[in-house]
């Protein structure tokens, strides 16, 4: 793995919303010393998904979550969930999943912090921690 970046160029593939999110997040991750060159594709995927999420959310805001179908006489013949609703839901799920990988969620940040501590403490402390955790688990489990 390479070192942390001090600057990241916005990928030209991103639209305006995605580019704005890339600029915002890359600045935050760089300031936290958490962005490396190998993270850029996943950050780009996150920002592209963010842009898709915003597009779908705007459509739902403007048009509603349902679409109506009318027959040739203009009579209502059915109602269905708008396609943008499923796009929105899938984008939300992907944002959470990718966000965890980038350390953008609370759980993701904890995983990053634990991994950093392990790197700094070395394998001997990990063995001790595992022994203590095992003892605590047995004590708690028997109480």
């Amino acid at each position: 793995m390479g070192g942390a970046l001090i600057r990241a160029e916005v990928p030209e593939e991103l639209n305006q919303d995605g580019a704005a999110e890339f600029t915002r997040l890359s600045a935050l991750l760089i300031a936290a010393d958490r962005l490396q060159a190998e993270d850029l594709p996943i950050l780009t995927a996150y920002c592209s998904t963010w842009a898709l999420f915003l597009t779908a959310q705007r459509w739902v805001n403007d048009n509603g979550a349902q679409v109506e179908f009318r027959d040739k006489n203009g009579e209502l013949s059915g109602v269905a969930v708008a396609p943008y609703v499923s796009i929105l839901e899938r984008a939300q799920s992907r944002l959470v999943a990718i966000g965890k990988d980038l350390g953008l969620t609370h759980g993701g940040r904890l995983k990053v912090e634990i991994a950093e501590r392990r790197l700094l403490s070395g394998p001997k402390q990990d063995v001790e921690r595992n022994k203590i955790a095992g003892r605590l688990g047995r004590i708690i489990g028997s109480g």
Side-chain angles (χ1 to χ4, degrees):
M1 283 188 127
L5 295 175
I6 58 170
R7 189 162 108 21
E9 293 290 324
V10 176
E12 62 186 45
E13 298 82 15
L14 294 175
N15 69 13
Q16 186 175 356
D17 289 325
E21 186 68 353
F22 186 95
T23 300
R24 185 184 79 81
L25 283 179
S26 63
L28 289 172
L29 293 168
I30 288 169
D33 202 28
R34 300 251 170 124
L35 186 63
Q36 298 182 353
E38 38 295 340
D39 300 323
L40 293 176
I42 192 89
L43 178 59
T44 301
Y46 180 91
C47 295
S48 177
T49 304
W50 173 254
L52 180 62
F53 167 82
L54 288 179
T55 298
Q57 184 64 63
R58 288 175 184 138
W59 192 94
V60 170
N61 289 348
D62 292 344
N63 300 287
Q66 296 180 334
V67 291
E68 295 179 348
F69 298 99
R70 301 201 174 267
D71 62 21
K72 61 184 177 181
N73 299 324
E75 297 293 320
L76 184 64
S77 62
V79 178
V81 175
Y84 276 94
V85 172
S86 65
I87 293 169
L88 182 62
E89 290 170 347
R90 283 194 309 266
Q92 288 170 335
S93 295
R94 293 296 303 143
L95 286 170
V96 171
I98 298 170
K100 285 179 185 175
D101 288 343
L102 289 170
L104 300 178
T105 64
H106 179 69
R109 284 189 296 278
L110 288 176
K111 281 174 52 179
V112 169
E113 289 171 14
I114 289 168
E116 286 176 344
R117 285 188 197 131
R118 285 185 179 154
L119 283 174
L120 295 174
S121 66
K124 185 176 180 186
Q125 280 88 359
D126 281 348
V127 170
E128 273 309 303
R129 252 188 245 114
N130 288 338
K131 287 180 187 175
I132 293 168
R135 285 187 216 127
L136 284 174
R138 285 191 299 275
I139 292 168
I140 292 168
S142 65

